[in-house]
Amino acid sequence: MPASPAAPLSEARPQGGAATRRGVLLARGSALLVLCIWTSFILVARGSSRATLLPYDIAFLRFACSGLLVLPFAWVWRAALVRGLSEGAAPAEAGRVAFGRAVALALTGGFGYGLLAYGGFFLAPAAHAAVLLPGSLPLWSALGALWLLGERLTAARVCGLALILAGGAAIAGRSFAEAFEGAATWRGDLLFIGASMSWALYGVWCRRWRVGALPATAAIALVTLLLGVPAHAAAVAAGLVPSRLAEAGWGEIAFQAIYQGGLAMVVAGCAYTQVVAHYGPVRTTMFTAIVPPLAALAAVPVLGEPLAATALLGLACVTLGLLVGNGVVRLPRRRLGSDAAR
């Protein structure tokens, strides 16, 4: 672990005109890719709850496919992978530090996010996922960056985070009220919140340890392949975890493996970590304001899920909070000084 928190955002950007332009273009392209995949991820994952596979089956395919895709590259560039995961560590400690960080990143960005998120999609609608997964991510990222990186919160970000919290409360409040009628939506909402917190911690750790996009994604893919896939197989064989892999068609299995393991984990993971490295964990999650409304609105025609009044209120609060926190929408300020003296 580095002796001090990660460098400020301005210091983390590449120096020089050409390098800066390349870095900006790469970060913007990665951001656009993340927006597209995150939006479709909500729709695909929610739609998967109506198919054959169970949440743990989808997570199993995600871990297996991503790990097998990354494994040959990680073996060839294993020395570079260790260096990328052990930034700031003494040479003698590089292997141990790299292993520890790889496990930590896999527990948060791999197991924590994947298992909790997929479980939530089987219990709560897409609008709830849109608000509580990408929508609440800036809140948990800001708290994590404040704690682990020492980053300060501006007044605009505090207002934005307050609006995000209000949006989440609108969604959660409705779910908990319905719980007295026997509905299980509140459990899905809690799983979404846990998944968002887990992913936020992953992003903050990447920033703190200066782990690049490729080493971080490779670490998650390898650890989940080596630990998660055998554990799931053993649990299913022992009858501890239900599975419908044997009942699903090959088309469904292939689609989930390629989309969840290839696109949603490897491609989106690399792109997201690249954006975090350029913009920082808080600003990265702030620019995703388009994901919650886009996913929730698309779920109406694609999945046939209506938007309740509380969901619309939550979406409005979260979207406004993201825009305010990122400085896209500026709050009015009172003029002081010479104007007040007139």
Side-chain angles (χ1 to χ4, degrees):
M1 181 179 295
S4 59
L9 181 62
S10 59
E11 298 176 14
R13 293 177 179 172
Q15 303 297 320
T20 301
R21 286 192 296 272
R22 286 195 299 270
V24 170
L25 289 175
L26 180 60
R28 289 178 179 176
S30 299
L32 180 60
L33 190 59
V34 169
L35 292 178
C36 293
I37 295 178
W38 278 17
T39 301
S40 65
F41 171 77
I42 292 174
L43 300 176
V44 170
R46 177 58 177 168
S48 300
S49 65
R50 305 174 183 179
T52 305
L53 296 173
L54 297 176
Y56 289 148
D57 294 329
I58 299 175
F60 170 82
L61 294 173
R62 175 187 178 101
F63 300 152
C65 181
S66 62
L68 292 175
L69 286 174
V70 167
L71 186 59
F73 300 99
W75 175 257
V76 173
W77 292 300
R78 55 189 180 279
L81 178 60
V82 171
R83 288 195 301 270
L85 289 167
S86 59
E87 176 73 22
E93 299 291 324
R96 181 183 63 83
V97 171
F99 176 77
R101 291 178 179 176
V103 172
L105 295 179
L107 288 175
T108 52
F111 294 118
Y113 179 79
L115 296 176
L116 293 174
Y118 290 134
F121 282 113
F122 278 67
L123 296 170
H128 290 220
V131 171
L132 299 175
L133 271 177
S136 68
L137 191 55
L139 176 64
W140 312 122
S141 296
L143 295 177
L146 181 67
W147 174 39
L148 295 175
L149 304 182
E151 292 189 2
R152 297 181 179 180
L153 296 177
T154 63
R157 282 184 181 167
V158 171
C159 292
L161 294 175
L163 287 168
I164 291 171
L165 186 60
I171 291 289
R174 172 69 180 272
S175 297
F176 283 112
E178 293 176 345
F180 293 100
E181 303 173 2
T185 306
W186 66 273
R187 290 187 290 172
D189 290 348
L190 287 180
L191 290 174
F192 287 144
I193 293 173
S196 184
M197 294 174 66
S198 185
W199 187 264
L201 184 57
Y202 159 75
V204 172
W205 272 343
C206 285
R207 179 72 167 174
R208 177 177 177 84
W209 295 331
R210 297 182 178 90
V211 179
L214 294 178
T217 304
I220 293 177
L222 291 176
V223 173
T224 53
L225 172 67
L226 297 177
L227 299 182
V229 170
H232 176 81
V236 170
L240 301 176
V241 174
S243 175
R244 293 181 183 169
L245 275 172
E247 304 171 21
W250 285 108
E252 182 182 354
I253 293 175
F255 172 78
Q256 294 290 359
I258 294 172
Y259 181 87
Q260 304 293 349
L263 285 177
M265 185 165 177
V266 175
V267 177
C270 287
Y272 178 83
T273 314
Q274 180 64 44
V275 178
V276 168
H278 186 85
Y279 292 112
V282 177
R283 287 186 64 192
T284 295
T285 55
M286 285 295 186
F287 80 85
T288 57
I290 193 175
V291 173
L294 188 60
L297 292 174
V300 176
V302 174
L303 301 175
E305 294 185 349
L307 281 174
T310 52
L312 287 172
L313 176 61
L315 282 170
C317 289
V318 165
T319 303
L320 181 59
L322 290 168
L323 294 174
V324 169
N326 201 32
V328 178
V329 174
R330 297 186 181 276
L331 298 177
R333 296 181 180 179
R334 295 179 58 187
R335 293 186 177 183
L336 303 176
S338 59
D339 290 347
R342 293 177 182 177

